[in-house]
Amino acid sequence: MVGSSHEALHRIFQKEPGLLTSALQQVLSVPFPTPHDFAAMNVDLTEIEPIERRVDTLLKAETDEGSYLLVVESQGKPDERKRGSWPYYLSFLYEKYRCEPVLIVVTQSSATARWAAEPIHLGVRGMPSLTVRPFVLGPDNVPVIATRQEAERDVPLAVLSAMTHGRGRQAPAILESLAAALRTIDRDSAAALVQFVDSCLTDPQAQRMWRDLMTAMQYFWRHPLAEEVREEGREEGREEGREEGREEGRVAERGDMTLRILEWRGISVPDAVRERVESCTDLDQLTTWSQRAVHATTADDLFAATE
């Protein structure tokens, strides 16, 4: 199970290697040839001397123009040591495999993206002997995919969008659209992608919403993440001690989630709307309202179809 955003941001490309070249071509406008085959490679770049050096993810892409080594580094914050490590990685890989190495940095931070995109010059100032220009994927260039149609057209890119933009006002629409799109692919692949998104959602409200959405999609319940959610539910049940208490808890939680989504998206919630949601005891009705809250423009839109 993926346990951190650092892991998820590079392992997504191990699961979906085509996403990496798609991002290079579509997001960064790099004229990278379309691969016809990928191979995962050993990420250990340690030499005989006891100096351990590892990249996060390393893929070999076979194209009509030859082989490329795709080096993916997940970066949480600026780290000046990388200014020495990244040129070393590329030089070592080229010498060892005689393939063109390509460095791609993935981050959730705009500031880190700007730092990582700065060229690394080694040598005489103004006339460097070696220059490294990382390709960077981050919140400023990864597209925001917030409609079901867009998400269904390219599910892996929609996953990367959720991993990169999973906070702020657009997050509910992004997560809801992705949840719908995941129904269109095979269950095992979808279950793995769910993990990557869950690991990258640093906003507690966004993560809670994502887990609510995934809990409602029953076929994910074979997944370790779903087992965690089920265990949370069992614990709540033990504390409440009876089925009625569990049902009341689900009703209260779904009502709270509906109001949280509206407030999180910056939509004003009048007292009358809040009272109507909080007094509702129909779980199915609350589920419908919570789904409408993702796309509503006013709080009254929750009830528009039922008036």
Side-chain angles (χ1 to χ4, degrees):
M1 183 173 178
V2 178
S4 68
S5 60
H6 174 90
E7 232 185 318
L9 282 172
H10 69 87
R11 283 185 55 188
I12 177 65
F13 300 111
Q14 297 175 14
K15 172 65 180 172
E16 298 286 343
L19 172 62
L20 190 55
T21 51
S22 173
L24 286 172
Q25 295 165 345
Q26 298 177 33
V27 178
L28 300 177
S29 300
V30 176
F32 192 88
T34 301
H36 47 71
D37 190 29
F38 287 97
M41 301 187 69
N42 192 336
V43 299
D44 193 343
L45 307 186
T46 306
E47 300 182 70
I48 296 177
E49 297 295 325
I51 302 175
E52 184 175 321
R53 300 180 189 272
R54 295 176 185 272
V55 297
D56 287 332
T57 284
L58 180 61
L59 298 169
K60 187 176 184 180
E62 300 291 351
T63 78
D64 292 338
E65 298 179 13
S67 300
Y68 287 85
L69 297 176
L70 304 178
V71 183
V72 184
E73 286 282 279
S74 172
Q75 197 68 28
K77 60 184 179 180
D79 181 354
E80 288 305 314
R81 292 176 300 175
K82 295 294 186 179
R83 300 250 166 220
S85 297
W86 287 341
Y88 171 84
Y89 294 165
L90 301 184
S91 298
F92 176 86
L93 289 167
Y94 180 77
E95 174 63 23
K96 182 174 183 178
Y97 295 106
R98 291 295 167 175
C99 294
E100 298 295 340
V102 179
L103 175 62
I104 303 100
V105 180
V106 191
T107 182
Q108 294 175 293
S109 163
S110 294
T112 301
R114 290 190 294 271
W115 166 83
E118 287 293 322
I120 302 169
H121 301 295
L122 301 180
V124 178
R125 183 173 299 179
M127 297 186 66
S129 298
L130 175 65
T131 297
V132 173
R133 300 180 186 277
F135 295 123
V136 182
L137 294 170
D140 295 331
N141 57 12
V142 172
V144 173
I145 297 180
T147 69
R148 178 173 181 169
Q149 292 75 16
E150 289 179 301
E152 289 180 352
R153 277 199 297 270
D154 194 335
V155 176
L157 187 60
V159 171
L160 184 62
S161 177
M163 293 165 66
T164 309
H165 301 286
R167 64 179 70 185
R169 293 185 179 182
Q170 297 181 98
I174 292 171
L175 297 178
E176 176 74 16
S177 300
L178 176 58
L182 287 173
R183 296 180 184 273
T184 66
I185 65 175
D186 71 273
R187 295 185 176 188
D188 289 336
S189 294
L193 297 175
V194 166
Q195 256 199 102
F196 294 130
V197 175
D198 186 79
S199 296
C200 284
L201 293 175
T202 56
D203 185 306
Q205 289 183 323
Q207 187 179 69
R208 191 169 188 175
M209 176 186 175
W210 180 243
R211 292 188 174 190
D212 281 338
L213 289 169
M214 294 303 98
T215 301
M217 299 170 69
Q218 298 293 324
Y219 64 81
F220 283 123
W221 279 46
R222 294 175 297 144
H223 195 271
L225 172 60
E227 178 58 36
E228 180 182 332
V229 173
R230 280 201 301 278
E231 180 56 35
E232 290 175 359
R234 284 194 290 267
E235 182 61 32
E236 289 176 3
R238 285 192 289 268
E239 290 175 358
E240 292 171 338
R242 53 197 174 93
E243 179 58 33
E244 182 182 348
R246 288 196 295 272
E247 180 68 16
E248 289 176 357
R250 285 192 289 269
V251 166
E253 168 59 24
R254 193 54 51 94
D256 288 343
M257 184 179 77
T258 301
L259 297 174
R260 283 200 307 268
I261 292 173
L262 291 174
E263 292 168 350
W264 189 27
R265 295 181 59 219
I267 296 175
S268 177
V269 181
D271 290 342
V273 171
R274 185 180 300 278
E275 182 179 349
R276 183 170 176 180
V277 171
E278 291 178 344
S279 62
C280 181
T281 58
D282 184 332
L283 183 59
D284 291 338
Q285 180 64 74
L286 287 166
T287 299
T288 299
W289 289 347
S290 68
Q291 293 169 349
R292 290 177 186 163
V294 173
H295 303 288
T297 55
T298 70
D300 287 332
D301 288 346
L302 295 183
F303 320 123
T306 58
E307 297 294 357

